[in-house]
Amino acid sequence: MTFKSLKITRPDDWHVHLREGNLLKAVINHSTRVNQRCIVMPNLNDPITTTLKGIDYIKKINLLSNNNFSPLLPCYLTEDLDLIDFSKGLDENIFIGAKLYPNEATTNSKYGISSTEKIYPALEILEKKDKILLIHGEKVDSEIDIFDREKYYIDQELSLIRKTFPNLRIVLEHVSSKYGAEYVNYSPNIAGTITPHHMMLTKKDVFLDKSINPHHFCMPVVKNEEDLIALRNFATSGNKKFFLGTDSAPHPIEFKVPNLKSKPGIFSAPCSIEIYASIFDEEKSLDNLEKFCSINGPKFYKLPVNADQIELIEERWTVPEYTIHQEIKIKNFMGGKELNWKLKA
Ligand SMILES: [Zn+2]
């Protein structure tokens, strides 16, 4: 039996939730073990809406990580953002861009956007400064089926943003549908991140025979087989519009179970690079893994590609069931299951 090994340029994670406090301490090493840079999401309990909050959060992350690791932070857009402060944060590279959460679309999005027109002045600043707009692309409306939120956001909001700001560069985050992936593929100035779980799960993995699996509940919700196949095809094709963004989103286990009040989010950081490698292997596309993980992202963000490499080896291992740190216990995605690829320590 021959075992494969693969060296690729060190990856970056263009969408991850590192959280704060003890939760940050519990999860950060799982992201820094592999990535040089992470776009860290600003939806903390007190969202990062000012440069001061941004500087403070970056400092907290840097205190817990090694010198080589760089957290990159988008400003959390609100309808009453201080635009002078926002401009300054972009100029001083405290903010890499800005994150648009539709109101109540996911965890800590209650300060998010209800009326897109109200943030046009902020989008104009982003477009002028050539900074990235990151979008959680789901239209939240009680009339709209939860599985169609991405499509409605694209048709009703995103297309209007693009018409109004044609030069604004946009990342449609955690693309979750065939419709969304095709939209990204044919639209100029847009790229998309794809999570491991949207390429592993369909709604059958959430809605089981007689119960619901809260550990597979995330936003956007995982969809149908044809969506999963489309995402796999775009990710593994080498297409430069798609790149790695895990959306690893830890919640302590008591916020996932019991599932009546389950919070959305899947914590994949302990094995995300290994899942991506396994998917690319299954799709016979290991040659394109480096493009997806390490090249397409920095090119779109106009940042240098990392200088060093990581090595992945073909080796069966079992993902630990939980990540535990002091009183915090988090269920790992794929916990207890076997994977074929492992990061060489
Ligand atoms: Zn997210």
Side-chain angles (χ1 to χ4, degrees), residues 119-235:
I119 56 159
Y120 277 5
L123 302 188
E124 202 181 315
I125 292 170
L126 285 173
E127 186 185 42
K128 244 184 224 151
K129 296 185 189 292
D130 195 28
K131 297 282 188 174
I132 307 281
L133 174 67
L134 299 90
I135 300 183
H136 180 114
E138 289 197 290
K139 175 100 178 170
V140 183
D141 183 326
S142 56
E143 300 289 301
I144 297 172
D145 187 326
I146 195 166
F147 293 98
D148 294 331
R149 284 179 169 186
E150 188 165 279
K151 179 185 183 310
Y152 276 85
Y153 190 86
I154 288 168
D155 291 347
Q156 297 184 359
E157 309 283 341
L158 182 52
S159 50
L160 197 62
I161 292 175
R162 289 192 41 244
K163 211 183 281 171
T164 316
F165 304 98
N167 296 317
L168 177 58
R169 290 186 309 123
I170 295 171
V171 174
L172 184 63
E173 301 197 280
H174 39 57
V175 181
S176 66
S177 62
K178 182 174 183 225
Y179 188 86
E182 283 172 352
Y183 181 83
V184 167
N185 187 42
Y186 68 67
S187 308
N189 290 333
I190 294 202
T193 53
I194 302 180
T195 75
H197 50 271
H198 286 101
M199 295 193 284
M200 294 287 285
L201 306 174
T202 66
K203 58 190 180 191
K204 282 189 209 152
D205 300 298
V206 185
F207 302 98
L208 312 175
D209 195 14
K210 291 190 177 66
S211 63
I212 291 173
N213 184 340
H215 303 298
H216 290 167
F217 171 51
C218 60
M219 290 296 177
V221 289
V222 297
K223 302 196 164 57
N224 294 307
E225 183 92 21
E226 65 162 349
D227 299 298
L228 176 145
I229 291 168
L231 295 172
R232 280 187 170 227
N233 287 342
F234 279 115

Side-chain angles (χ1 to χ4, degrees), residues 21 90 99 122 151 164 168 182 230 253 259 276 286 288 311 315 335:
L90 293 169
K99 170 80 187 234
K151 179 185 183 310
T164 316
L168 177 58
E182 283 172 352
I253 197 154
N259 56 34
Y276 282 124
L286 279 172
N288 287 329
E311 187 171 2
E315 181 186 307

Side-chain angles (χ1 to χ4, degrees), residues 15-17 41 43 99 101 106 136 173-174 219 247-249:
H15 180 152
V16 67
H17 299 265
M41 286 297 133
N43 62 333
K99 170 80 187 234
Y101 286 102
T106 188
H136 180 114
E173 301 197 280
H174 39 57
M219 290 296 177
D247 197 12
S248 179

